[in-house]
Amino acid sequence: MPTLKVTDTTGDTVAIDAHNGLSLMEILRNSGYPIAGACNGSTACATCHVVIDDDWAAKLPSLSNDEEDRLDSVVNLQKNSRLGCQIEMTDTLSGMALTIPA
Ligand code: FES
């Protein structure tokens, strides 16, 4: 089972199971993290905002124009900010570290 290393808004870091084929948003929401995913992945809400660890950010697919536009509306935008709904879990991402911004 692939895993993700998730740091929550309190700074706690936990490794969680991450099913291939689900988006990071779905994995985090299913695991009980405060990720609303209000638009269910249509790049309309940014409630799935996550920050990817430096070591992993370059391994992800490039941002689409829609993702980039939506991220522009995020208040606490960071260098490796991504929309979790736009990243699908695969074996190659197993072990990836990310942070849920406060
Ligand atoms: S779930 Fe709405 S933009 Fe990702």
Side-chain angles (χ1 to χ4, degrees), residues 25 37-48 70 83-86:
M25 177 272 283
C39 75
N40 271 324
S42 60
T43 64
C45 71
T47 60
C48 59
R70 181 52 54 197
L83 296 179
C85 66
Q86 299 301 298

Side-chain angles (χ1 to χ4, degrees), residues 24-62:
L24 301 186
M25 177 272 283
E26 292 169 315
I27 293 164
L28 294 169
R29 191 170 63 180
N30 293 349
S31 297
Y33 288 99
I35 294 285
C39 75
N40 271 324
S42 60
T43 64
C45 71
T47 60
C48 59
H49 177 207
V50 294
V51 179
I52 306 297
D53 187 88
D54 275 339
D55 293 340
W56 289 90
K59 298 175 182 169
L60 296 179
S62 302

Side-chain angles (χ1 to χ4, degrees), residues 46-95:
T47 60
C48 59
H49 177 207
V50 294
V51 179
I52 306 297
D53 187 88
D54 275 339
D55 293 340
W56 289 90
K59 298 175 182 169
L60 296 179
S62 302
L63 286 82
S64 68
N65 288 340
D66 285 347
E67 183 179 2
E68 206 165 338
D69 287 349
R70 181 52 54 197
L71 280 169
D72 283 344
S73 70
V74 169
V75 176
N76 50 356
L77 189 67
Q78 298 178 43
K79 182 178 66 168
N80 296 332
S81 286
R82 296 295 302 259
L83 296 179
C85 66
Q86 299 301 298
I87 300 168
E88 181 181 318
M89 190 66 201
T90 63
D91 280 333
T92 58
L93 298 182
S94 185

